[in-house]
Amino acid sequence: MSLSVLVIDDMDYVHDNIRPLLHHFHCDPIYSAGTGEDGLRIFIEANPSLILLDIDLAGALDGLEVLRWMLYGKPASFITMLSGDTRAATVQKVLKL
């Protein structure tokens, strides 16, 4: 059985580097979104098993707002937050959700 994955990140290099790794572990299908809005749309339509979500997204919805919507929409999904931001305050914001 394959694991469906949604990668939400506004940096193309993240998608380019993580896709081969996910293929190596037989994840299929792999969905990609560059904005929080597109990520939420795919989340609702495709119902992926795992979401890899960047905290600092460009656009109207940042990763924290997308996470709020996902947790209330389908709390059983596995969501992993990705970020280059290592500030303790950012980590605490995520953990409070």
Side-chain angles (χ1 to χ4, degrees):
M1 182 173 161
S2 292
L3 181 70
S4 60
V5 179
L6 168 58
V7 180
I8 306 172
D9 199 298
D10 56 347
M11 300 294 189
D12 289 338
Y13 72 88
V14 172
H15 296 273
D16 295 344
N17 286 299
I18 207 161
R19 185 173 287 275
L21 179 65
L22 294 172
H23 278 299
H24 176 77
F25 288 102
H26 308 288
C27 296
D28 186 56
I30 301 169
Y31 302 99
S32 293
T35 66
E37 297 85 352
D38 287 343
L40 280 177
R41 181 184 49 77
I42 295 169
F43 172 74
I44 292 165
E45 293 173 2
N47 194 27
S49 305
L50 173 65
I51 297 103
L52 303 177
L53 174 61
D54 183 22
I55 291 175
D56 295 316
L57 291 172
L61 298 176
D62 68 10
L64 294 174
E65 190 63 29
V66 172
L67 178 61
R68 283 185 194 95
W69 280 95
M70 289 180 172
L71 290 174
Y72 291 114
K74 184 181 172 209
S77 294
F78 292 100
I79 304 169
T80 298
M81 300 299 293
L82 305 172
S83 183
D85 185 345
T86 59
R87 292 176 293 176
T90 303
V91 174
Q92 289 301 316
K93 285 180 189 177
V94 172
L95 293 175
K96 287 180 182 179
L97 295 175

